[in-house]
Amino acid sequence: MPVFDLSVTSLREFNSILHSLSAGANDTAFEVVNPRGHHAVAVGIDTPVTVDIRGSVGYYCAGMNDGGTVTVHGSAGPGVAENMMSGTVVIEGDASQYAGATGQGGLLVIKGNAASRCGISMKGIDIVVHGNIGHMSAFMGQSGHLVVLGDAGDALGDSLYEAKLFVRGSVQSLGSDCIEKEMRPEHIAKLSELLEKAGVKDVRPEEFKRYGSARKLYNFNIDNADAY
């Protein structure tokens, strides 16, 4: 397994190597040591490679990931896995604000807590947070799933479209047009699948509540003006 020490190798060089890989390349597993909080580590991956980052990272780690498996053995700064297309990103520690923002696919697993605006404008990504999430999470979430084993902060799901939110703990408050919804068998089945993929054990999907859009803000309607 190639090992890249970011105290020796430049971040630009490391990312360039990842970008130059073609289908069928011999090297498909990489290890990064001494990330030292660098920003934009392992961004733009578009091949099915595995990257293990031994330490904490700064902004935008694994952004635009398309098919790679990236694990951060530490915590991540703002924008981790932003605009992810496919693949898997795992944060062993905590994640800062807007984790998984605008993600269009793939799975983001945060084993610690996530800060504010987790999953804003999500467009198909699945996010599983083992801990808590901060305020304004899933703001304008269009599609995908946000699963929270802990508590959710203020204004969860504000201006939500069709993303599905599952929270096991308490919710400080719901945002505009976000309401609690019935947990039907198909939601239990999907939640079970996501928990298994995220390595969550000894937690039952029946312990969660589901939240979604009341569908009153899709288009302006004078009768709903007080909700805007």
Side-chain angles (χ1 to χ4, degrees):
M1 176 190 298
V3 178
F4 291 87
D5 186 339
L6 293 188
S7 67
V8 178
T9 303
S10 73
L11 177 62
R12 182 183 295 274
E13 180 181 350
F14 170 65
N15 282 337
S16 294
I17 290 170
L18 292 180
H19 299 164
S20 67
L21 295 172
S22 58
N26 290 329
D27 291 327
T28 59
F30 300 86
E31 185 173 12
V32 176
V33 298
N34 292 318
R36 299 184 301 171
H38 271 304
H39 306 314
V41 179
V43 297
I45 293 173
D46 61 359
T47 52
V49 298
T50 299
V51 180
D52 281 282
I53 303 169
R54 305 290 176 181
S56 296
V57 292
Y59 287 75
Y60 304 122
C61 178
M64 300 178 290
N65 182 52
D66 191 5
T69 298
V70 179
T71 302
V72 177
H73 299 271
S75 295
V80 65
E82 184 177 43
N83 202 35
M84 181 160 72
M85 308 298 289
S86 67
T88 302
V89 176
V90 178
I91 310 302
E92 295 285 349
D94 298 324
S96 190
Q97 58 186 347
Y98 44 90
T102 73
Q104 299 186 48
L107 174 65
L108 170 61
V109 180
I110 300 168
K111 295 191 176 179
N113 301 308
S116 62
R117 301 175 177 86
C118 180
I120 61 170
S121 195
M122 51 195 292
K123 298 177 175 68
I125 189 174
D126 292 326
I127 303 173
V128 179
V129 181
H130 289 220
N132 306 319
I133 59 172
H135 66 270
M136 291 293 291
S137 290
F139 170 66
M140 293 188 71
Q142 295 176 32
S143 64
H145 302 83
L146 173 60
V147 179
V148 183
L149 276 71
D151 302 328
D154 192 35
L156 175 69
D158 189 82
S159 303
L160 193 68
Y161 286 84
E162 290 303 308
K164 296 178 176 62
L165 317 180
F166 302 95
V167 181
R168 185 177 179 225
S170 63
V171 175
Q172 186 171 343
S173 71
L174 296 176
S176 297
D177 212 40
C178 184
I179 59 173
E180 184 177 346
K181 291 194 167 186
E182 177 188 6
M183 280 280 276
R184 298 194 297 269
E186 62 266 30
H187 303 126
I188 295 290
K190 183 62 180 181
L191 183 52
S192 296
E193 174 192 329
L194 290 170
L195 291 172
E196 182 176 357
K197 283 184 178 179
V200 176
K201 300 178 180 178
D202 301 324
V203 172
R204 298 167 54 248
E206 291 83 2
E207 298 171 11
F208 291 76
K209 292 181 178 179
R210 180 171 76 95
Y211 302 90
S213 174
R215 303 186 175 115
K216 292 182 178 179
L217 300 185
Y218 279 13
N219 299 288
F220 182 82
N221 185 322
I222 190 62
D223 294 333
N224 299 320
D226 61 346
Y228 289 83

